[in-house]
């Protein structure tokens, strides 16, 4: 067998193993080892495993992964998500669909210091869904807006997906973070517009019985029901201070991404201690969860490094690039097919796995077409995030279902609720694809 044939067999075998339940990192390493052994010999394959482990994990940059994970989990423990939602609920109290808009706004702020979509989905399911149900919103909309807006966690910096992409594409992680600002704001704004349109055009989708359009707006809080605006504003001070510390230091160039993660984790720890939400047992639990998440991501990166080396050895990426060239596809034809494949893969595979499988193959083609890899990374993250809310995998949907613990709201209803947000994400993906400057303007300015 030729190298290209071995590469094709390896990719097909890997996808089959993942489909039948093997963990993505194990599948990547096993298939890569077997392919290299077939191409050369087992001794070389063993040496390449060791080299991939050393080269992919010895870098100082990889310290950013556990630090940002730790910061996000500490923020969750501190109860900042509920405080942020309370503020946005008060600000949007007179708007039709105000609680939905409040959920998006609070999710956006929360995402800017966690970077984990699953964390946002779990927190706001507990915080926002009961409030929306209490004010007469339909179950499918209440859970749909939480699942839909949770994807902001992987686009608004800091983002774990941005870190993974930066590593795979050999791009600056700090620059990737900055590139996500405008697209993140655009996506959040599009979600808010979608909610406002639903409130006026499809009130039955949003409100129980669609009784009285005035009911779509959250009722103004009474003195006995809600705190004053000043007290609520003070609730937002800690999270804004943490954002200013981490993102301000990062964007000004005062911190590297890894240093920003360390400072942010320290700030989140102090915040949790000051709010008296962090007991020794909870702190031990947070450290354990941080270890589990960080090690799984770093092991995936190790496996992806070996996978990339195997593909380069087979010559498959270059053969695909030549094949695409022979077909005389334009850059936009290639981009359309690529984004379609990523969105479809999102229906069955998680976000990080998609990037690890696809990027080593398509990055050489994107470079051949002269595409900016920062912009390419942003649209990749958006396309991958669509998979978080699409059936049958839809990890954000299942996170909401698990956190909700309510049998009266089946998974099917949650998927129905995220349909408007799925459409909104497709619109934003289209806009970002047509206007690369939205992704690159800030990235190359700072």
């Amino acid at each position: 067998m030729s190298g290209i044939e071995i590469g094709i067999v390896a990719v097909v075998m890997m996808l089959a193993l993942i489909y039948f339940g093997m963990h993505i990192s194990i599948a990547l390493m096993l298939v890569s080892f077997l392919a290299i052994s077939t191409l050369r010999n087992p001794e070389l394959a063993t040496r390449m495993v060791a080299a991939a482990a050393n080269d992919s994990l010895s870098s100082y940059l990889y310290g950013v992964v556990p630090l940002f994970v730790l910061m996000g989990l500490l923020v969750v423990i501190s109860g900042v998500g509920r405080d942020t939602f309370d503020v946005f609920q008060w600000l949007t109290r007179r708007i039709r669909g105000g609680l939905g808009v409040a959920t998006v706004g609070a999710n956006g702020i929360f995402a800017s210091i966690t970077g984990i979509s699953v964390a946002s989905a779990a927190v706001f399911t507990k915080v926002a869904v009961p409030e929306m149900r209490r004010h007469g919103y339909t179950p499918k909309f209440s859970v749909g807006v939480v699942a839909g807006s949770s994807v902001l966690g992987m686009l608004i910096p800091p983002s774990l997906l941005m870190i993974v992409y930066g590593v795979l594409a050999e791009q600056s992680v700090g620059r990737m973070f900055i590139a996500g600002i405008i697209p993140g704001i655009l996506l959040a704004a599009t979600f808010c517009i979608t909610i406002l349109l639903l409130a006026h055009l499809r009130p039955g989708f949003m409100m129980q019985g669609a009784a009285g359009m005035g009911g779509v707006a959250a009722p103004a809080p009474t003195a006995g029901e809600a705190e004053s605006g000043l007290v609520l504003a003070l609730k937002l001070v800690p999270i804004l201070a943490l954002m200013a510390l981490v993102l301000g230091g990062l964007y000004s160039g005062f911190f590297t991404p890894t240093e920003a993660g360390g400072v942010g984790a320290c700030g989140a720890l102090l915040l949790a201690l000051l709010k008296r939400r962090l007991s020794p047992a909870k702190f031990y639990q947070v450290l354990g969860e941080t270890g589990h998440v960080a090690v799984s991501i770093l092991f995936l990166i190790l496996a992806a490094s070996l996978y990339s080396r195997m593909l380069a050895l087979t010559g498959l990426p270059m053969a695909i690039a030549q094949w695409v060239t022979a077909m005389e596809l334009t850059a936009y034809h290639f981009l359309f097919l690529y984004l379609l494949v990523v969105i479809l893969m999102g229906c069955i595979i998680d976000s990080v796995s998609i990037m690890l499988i696809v990027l080593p193959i398509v990055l050489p083609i994107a470079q051949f077409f002269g595409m900016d890899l920062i912009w390419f990374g942003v649209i990749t993250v958006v396309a991958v995030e669509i998979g978080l809310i699409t059936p049958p995998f839809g990890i954000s949907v299942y996170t909401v279902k698990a956190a909700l613990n309510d049998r009266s709201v089946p998974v099917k209803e949650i998927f129905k609720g995220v349909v408007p947000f799925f459409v909104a994400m497709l619109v934003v993906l289209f806009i970002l694809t047509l206007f690369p400057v939205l992704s690159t303007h800030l990235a190359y300015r700072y």
Side-chain angles (χ1 to χ4, degrees):
M1 294 177 69
S2 67
I4 294 173
E5 290 172 336
I6 291 173
I8 293 172
V9 171
V11 172
V12 172
M13 184 186 300
M14 178 196 56
L15 293 174
L17 291 173
I18 294 170
Y19 177 79
F20 287 113
M22 181 175 285
H23 193 277
I24 174 67
S25 56
I26 303 298
L28 282 169
M29 293 194 71
L30 177 62
V31 169
S32 299
F33 183 87
L34 292 176
I36 296 170
S37 298
T38 305
L39 277 167
R40 298 290 189 268
N41 55 68
E43 183 181 350
L44 177 63
T46 303
R47 288 204 304 268
M48 288 189 72
V49 171
N54 180 68
D55 295 345
S56 61
L57 300 183
S58 62
S59 173
Y60 164 77
L61 172 66
Y62 291 99
V64 74
V65 176
L67 290 172
F68 273 120
V69 172
L70 176 60
M71 180 178 69
L73 294 175
L74 286 171
V75 166
V76 171
I77 288 289
S78 68
V80 165
R82 177 175 291 280
D83 292 345
T84 308
F85 179 74
D86 288 343
V87 174
F88 277 90
Q89 180 183 357
W90 186 83
L91 291 173
T92 60
R93 66 194 184 281
R94 301 189 187 280
I95 300 174
R96 287 184 175 182
L99 283 181
V101 175
T103 302
V104 173
N107 237 328
I109 296 292
F110 191 72
S112 66
I113 52 171
T114 59
I116 309 173
S117 294
V118 172
S120 296
V123 168
F124 286 97
T125 299
K126 299 289 189 183
V127 172
V129 172
E131 278 296 302
M132 285 191 277
R133 295 288 300 275
R134 186 168 69 86
H135 284 98
Y137 288 77
T138 60
K140 65 182 175 183
F141 175 79
S142 300
V143 293
V145 70
V146 171
S149 59
S150 70
V151 303
L152 293 169
M154 286 300 185
L155 187 57
I156 296 177
S159 159
L160 286 180
L161 278 188
M162 293 288 195
I163 295 172
V164 172
Y165 178 86
V167 170
L168 294 176
E170 298 181 353
Q171 298 296 306
S172 164
V173 172
R175 185 163 284 175
M176 286 301 305
F177 282 171
I178 296 173
I181 296 175
I182 293 178
I185 294 172
L186 175 63
L187 183 58
T190 306
F191 283 162
C192 291
I193 292 170
T194 300
I195 292 168
L196 296 176
L197 289 175
L198 285 172
H200 288 83
L201 303 178
R202 293 287 304 276
F205 182 88
M206 182 177 290
M207 296 300 295
Q208 296 277 15
M213 283 303 299
V216 177
T222 62
E225 183 185 3
E227 299 160 280
S228 69
L230 178 61
V231 173
L232 286 169
L234 290 175
K235 284 187 172 185
L236 206 56
V237 170
I239 193 170
L240 291 179
L242 191 58
M243 285 175 59
L245 179 67
V246 176
L247 301 184
L250 183 63
Y251 299 154
S252 66
F254 192 75
F255 299 145
T256 65
T258 306
E259 291 167 348
V263 171
C266 182
L269 176 61
L270 291 175
L271 180 61
L273 290 173
L274 289 172
K275 293 174 74 68
R276 299 181 180 179
R277 301 281 179 87
L278 191 65
S279 65
K282 285 185 177 179
F283 186 56
Y284 181 79
Q285 180 185 352
V286 165
L287 292 178
E289 289 182 18
T290 300
H292 285 131
V293 174
V295 168
S296 65
I297 292 173
L298 292 173
F299 193 65
L300 279 168
I301 292 173
L302 187 160
S305 176
L306 183 62
Y307 172 66
S308 299
R309 293 165 190 239
M310 179 272 291
L311 287 177
L313 205 59
T314 63
L316 182 61
M318 187 58 64
I320 293 176
Q322 293 172 350
W323 175 64
V324 170
T325 305
M327 291 178 65
E328 298 183 354
L329 292 177
T330 66
Y332 279 104
H333 286 147
F334 158 71
L335 204 56
F336 173 79
L337 291 174
Y338 165 66
L339 294 176
L340 180 62
V341 168
V342 168
I343 292 172
L344 291 176
M345 287 183 71
C347 296
I348 55 173
I349 305 177
D350 68 276
S351 304
V352 175
S353 301
I354 295 171
M355 296 179 74
L356 296 179
I357 293 169
V358 174
L359 287 176
I361 297 175
V362 301
L363 282 172
I365 304 173
Q367 288 177 308
F368 171 80
F369 280 114
M371 295 178 179
D372 184 279
L373 292 187
I374 296 292
W375 163 71
F376 191 76
V378 171
I379 61 173
T380 295
V381 169
V382 175
V384 164
E385 284 296 276
I386 292 175
L388 287 180
I389 57 174
T390 51
F393 191 76
I395 189 170
S396 282
V397 170
Y398 287 101
T399 301
V400 168
K401 175 62 177 174
L404 190 63
N405 196 23
D406 185 352
R407 293 184 179 180
S408 66
V409 184
V411 171
K412 182 174 69 174
E413 283 295 292
I414 306 177
F415 278 120
K416 286 181 181 178
V418 299
V419 168
F421 303 97
F422 169 78
V423 174
M425 290 190 75
L426 289 179
V427 170
V428 170
L429 181 60
F430 180 72
I431 293 171
L432 293 175
T433 303
L434 286 183
F435 302 102
V437 69
L438 294 173
S439 305
T440 59
H441 176 67
L442 291 180
Y444 292 115
R445 187 172 180 177
Y446 294 100

